[in-house]
Amino acid sequence: MPLSKDSLCFIFCMCVIFSLSGCISTENVSELNTEGSSEQPAADTAVVKLAVPENISHSFFSYSDPSILADLETGSPSSLRSAAAKIRKSNIEYTETDKVLLAVAGAVMQIVWPDAQITWDLPVVADTNPYTGAVASARMGVYDVNTGRTDFLTLVLPSLVLLTSPSRDDFFAEAENDLQNALALNSQSVLARYLLGLLYYRQQRYSMALEQFSAAEQLDASCLRVRYMKAMTCLAVGNSREAYNIGLELQKQYPQNIDILKLCAESSFILEDYDRAEAFVAQVLQKEPENSYYVLFRVRILVKKEDFIRAASLLDVYGRTDKTSRDYLLLRSQIQQQWNKNSAAAAATIEEALVRYPEDTAVILAAAELADETGRLLAGKSAGELAAQILVSDVDNIDALSVSVNAAIKEQQWKLAYDTNAHLMSLLAPEIPLAVSLKHIDICIMLDYLSEAYRLAQALYSADSENEDICTSYLKVLFAQGRTGEVLQIINNRLPKATQTFKSFLYYQRGILQKNNSDRLADLRLSLTSNPRNADALFQLYRYYFEQQDFRKAQYYLRQAVALNPDDQKLLELTAELDSLIGR
């Protein structure tokens, strides 16, 4: 007999209740008992708990051989090859983990170590995991902040953008923090240290960059890019000798590497080894004949070697395609001044550069140096004013300070010259160039700071009394102190073995001390015989004949002094006065 509709509903409800009872734990069974009852359920009716496994965190890269992941994190070319070799398989399908590891290792090799060879096949992997996703973002110039930062690689891989997008800097703070955290996890990583070094280099924090590159080199001295960047950082901090030595070692190993050739060219030029610099530049131009920077670099070298014929010829060839570049104008001005002796043309060229590049420090400095050398106003500004323009934003600019000192000396602003040169010496200490020290002695003499002048001169003279420039300065101090007996003794002792230029100074100095006019005249003439271009001796002979009222002879010597210093306003004024006197 068929069941009624009400019976079917009753049976369905009971089935539901029975099935739900299996989900109730023993802790809640008592709630199903009759209210107020303390009776416990029978043992055979208790619910059995299911065993739940522990929540264990597994790395994406899980290998029984821990050295595989260690090699990947080390990240140098040799360690990446080692990691790939350890999981290389034949006739067996790679796991997804294997594919990701090989893809990441290959991407690091391509982006970070472009000179190194990849020795494994690169699998096609989707960018759905944080590792290849970070690489894909870096290739697009984006610092991936969505890797989760769960392990070493998710902290490091976003910083590949340092190499793929060298103009961006909006991610530096995050990259520094992530890389430092990565190194806290694995301080033996060449990759992390190299990337952190690049970050510091980009920020011009060169001492910190050098620390990271040196640490990476200790971990793997065979890594070309690590040693190359260490050399570049040495150049940046002024250690050109170390950069040069590293460059030469690398060039022996990689003789055709263009970056190393450029490193060697730059470092040897700074060290004034111009023959080697030219040889390296020639090799660069063989590989990159259209590289305009290195064409002009070769001109710079030729100018330094005073090979002006070749320099001018090469510059003319360059000028057929570009006569407006900054370096072209600077070199053209140098050649016009140093070889053609055409100050007007050199000034016109540098003024053109100032119009085209008004904020360029190199152009302003070149203008300041030319104004200092010639005494001209350039673009309406003196050497001191041009140098001051640089010092507003760079108070420790060595070259600008040097020009400022010279300008102050020419304007006889001796206290300004003293203060500026003292600051320059403090910046250059402890290896102060001799010329700077000798200039300071001259300034002290003019300010009558004779004790300071003597202290400096005596220290230099005690260290190297054979140096003729030092001896010259020492004699000037003794002369200023009135110690004429010592001056004459040194002069007479040094004259027999002196070079012609030094002999000219000694005769000139002795001539000033002579009380007898005939002896004075004889020594000044001997000074010019030793060096016809001794401007001081020429000027003293002008004064001698002017005092004797022999104006024609005075005019003869004054004109020679002007010929040596055509832009000296004081000499030009004296010439005009003398010409007027003779013309009356």
Side-chain angles (χ1 to χ4, degrees):
M1 172 178 156
L3 296 173
S4 69
K5 183 177 180 181
D6 290 339
S7 298
L8 290 172
C9 289
F10 176 79
I11 294 171
F12 175 77
C13 290
M14 292 301 292
C15 290
V16 170
I17 293 171
F18 182 81
S19 63
L20 289 173
S21 66
C23 299
I24 301 174
S25 65
T26 56
E27 289 80 5
N28 297 320
V29 168
S30 60
E31 296 179 11
L32 297 179
N33 296 334
T34 304
E35 185 176 350
S37 172
S38 60
E39 184 180 4
Q40 297 297 320
D44 59 344
T45 62
V47 177
V48 179
K49 292 183 179 179
L50 297 176
V52 178
E54 288 182 319
N55 184 18
I56 301 173
S57 176
H58 291 279
S59 170
F60 182 90
F61 298 104
S62 295
Y63 290 100
S64 59
D65 182 355
S67 68
I68 295 176
L69 185 56
D71 284 341
L72 183 62
E73 291 184 359
T74 298
S76 68
S78 59
S79 67
L80 292 174
R81 293 193 194 98
S82 174
K86 289 173 183 175
I87 65 169
R88 183 177 289 118
K89 301 176 181 179
S90 59
N91 301 322
I92 300 177
E93 185 72 22
Y94 283 108
T95 66
E96 190 64 20
T97 300
D98 295 338
K99 292 178 181 179
V100 172
L101 185 147
L102 293 173
V104 169
V108 171
M109 197 78 96
Q110 290 171 335
I111 296 172
V112 183
W113 320 118
D115 310 289
Q117 183 181 4
I118 298 176
T119 56
W120 62 93
D121 295 329
L122 297 180
V124 177
V125 183
D127 299 331
T128 54
N129 63 81
Y131 307 99
T132 55
V135 171
S137 295
R139 290 191 189 278
M140 293 186 291
V142 176
Y143 188 88
D144 193 342
V145 296
N146 298 312
T147 62
R149 297 180 171 92
T150 55
D151 60 12
F152 177 88
L153 289 172
T154 51
L155 288 166
V156 169
L157 292 176
S159 289
L160 296 180
V161 76
L162 285 163
L163 292 146
T164 61
S165 185
S167 61
R168 284 190 55 193
D169 59 6
D170 56 341
F171 61 91
F172 283 177
E174 285 179 298
E176 181 178 3
N177 184 63
D178 286 346
L179 289 170
Q180 287 177 340
N181 286 336
L183 284 171
L185 295 175
N186 184 353
S187 63
Q188 302 302 301
S189 173
V190 176
L191 176 62
R193 291 199 177 278
Y194 178 71
L195 291 174
L196 188 56
L198 284 180
L199 174 62
Y200 290 145
Y201 186 87
R202 289 268 300 276
Q203 294 175 307
Q204 298 183 9
R205 297 157 72 181
Y206 295 123
S207 60
M208 298 176 73
L210 190 59
E211 181 181 345
Q212 294 301 325
F213 292 137
S214 297
E217 181 187 29
Q218 289 181 352
L219 293 168
D220 187 347
S222 68
C223 197
L224 164 61
R225 284 284 146 184
V226 167
R227 301 201 68 207
Y228 169 76
M229 282 309 304
K230 179 183 177 181
M232 292 298 291
T233 311
C234 286
L235 273 184
V237 299
N239 191 350
S240 304
R241 176 61 61 183
E242 177 70 9
Y244 181 64
N245 291 338
I246 294 173
L248 287 183
E249 290 177 13
L250 291 176
Q251 202 266 334
K252 291 177 182 177
Q253 294 176 266
Y254 310 94
Q256 302 303 316
N257 186 291
I258 191 71
D259 290 333
I260 295 172
L261 290 173
K262 291 176 180 178
L263 165 64
C264 291
E266 295 284 353
S267 56
S268 55
F269 179 81
I270 293 171
L271 292 170
E272 300 182 2
D273 189 346
Y274 299 127
D275 289 334
R276 272 198 169 180
E278 185 180 5
F280 285 123
V281 168
Q283 291 182 67
V284 171
L285 289 173
Q286 286 177 355
K287 295 178 178 297
E288 299 178 356
E290 304 302 319
N291 189 321
S292 60
Y293 173 84
Y294 274 85
V295 171
L296 292 178
F297 192 0
R298 191 170 195 175
V299 177
R300 285 166 58 203
I301 294 169
L302 293 172
V303 168
K304 288 292 186 180
K305 294 173 70 174
E306 298 187 357
D307 189 347
F308 293 114
I309 294 177
R310 280 204 300 156
S313 176
L314 186 56
L315 192 63
D316 287 342
V317 171
Y318 179 89
R320 293 172 190 169
T321 56
D322 182 10
K323 289 187 177 181
T324 62
S325 79
R326 183 198 70 169
D327 291 342
Y328 170 82
L329 292 169
L330 294 179
L331 287 166
R332 183 182 174 196
S333 176
Q334 278 187 271
I335 292 173
Q336 288 169 328
Q337 174 66 15
Q338 296 179 28
W339 187 40
N340 303 126
K341 306 298 181 184
N342 190 337
S343 298
T349 300
I350 208 69
E351 285 178 330
E352 180 183 349
L354 284 169
V355 170
R356 292 184 180 277
Y357 309 97
E359 304 299 324
D360 191 290
T361 300
V363 172
I364 299 171
L365 181 60
E369 290 173 339
L370 182 62
D372 178 32
E373 184 178 350
T374 63
R376 291 174 175 269
L377 294 179
L378 294 177
K381 296 181 179 180
S382 67
E385 290 170 330
L386 288 164
Q389 189 175 337
I390 298 171
L391 293 171
V392 167
S393 57
D394 185 3
V395 295
D396 294 336
N397 187 295
I398 300 296
D399 296 318
L401 286 170
S402 182
V403 171
S404 292
V405 173
N406 293 341
I409 290 173
K410 287 182 180 179
E411 295 169 9
Q412 298 187 6
Q413 297 180 356
W414 298 110
K415 188 61 171 65
L416 175 61
Y418 176 87
D419 292 339
T420 307
N421 204 61
H423 177 52
L424 180 61
M425 292 173 71
S426 69
L427 293 174
L428 295 170
E431 298 181 6
I432 302 172
L434 178 60
V436 176
S437 295
L438 296 180
K439 191 176 296 182
H440 199 71
I441 292 170
D442 289 340
I443 295 168
C444 287
I445 291 173
M446 297 306 300
L447 286 169
D448 204 30
Y449 295 172
L450 298 184
S451 59
E452 182 177 353
Y454 179 74
R455 176 176 56 79
L456 290 172
Q458 201 275 334
L460 292 172
Y461 189 71
S462 297
D464 187 6
S465 61
E466 294 303 311
N467 184 296
E468 294 184 345
D469 291 330
I470 292 174
C471 187
T472 297
S473 188
Y474 186 58
L475 286 170
K476 287 180 182 179
V477 176
L478 294 178
F479 177 78
Q481 291 179 318
R483 297 160 67 172
T484 56
E486 292 179 60
V487 172
L488 289 172
Q489 183 179 1
I490 293 174
I491 288 174
N492 293 329
N493 288 338
R494 298 298 293 265
L495 267 173
K497 295 182 179 180
T499 63
Q500 289 300 103
T501 300
F502 187 41
K503 188 175 290 186
S504 177
F505 167 77
L506 295 174
Y507 279 128
Y508 159 77
Q509 190 70 60
R510 193 172 73 177
I512 294 176
L513 292 172
Q514 297 289 6
K515 297 179 181 180
N516 183 288
N517 276 345
S518 60
D519 292 337
R520 177 185 174 195
L521 181 60
D523 276 341
L524 290 175
R525 285 175 172 171
L526 285 170
S527 176
L528 283 184
T529 300
S530 300
N531 178 18
R533 298 176 63 83
N534 187 326
D536 291 330
L538 288 168
F539 186 75
Q540 285 298 323
L541 282 167
Y542 147 74
R543 290 186 59 184
Y544 173 83
Y545 283 111
F546 190 88
E547 291 168 2
Q548 302 299 316
Q549 297 189 352
D550 189 341
F551 299 129
R552 290 292 180 184
K553 284 187 178 179
Q555 184 185 53
Y556 170 77
Y557 287 110
L558 183 58
R559 285 181 173 175
Q560 288 188 66
V562 170
L564 293 175
N565 301 281
D567 299 305
D568 190 314
Q569 291 301 312
K570 179 182 177 181
L571 293 180
L572 292 174
E573 290 171 6
L574 290 173
T575 299
E577 292 174 5
L578 187 56
D579 289 346
S580 177
L581 184 63
I582 292 174
R584 290 174 188 172

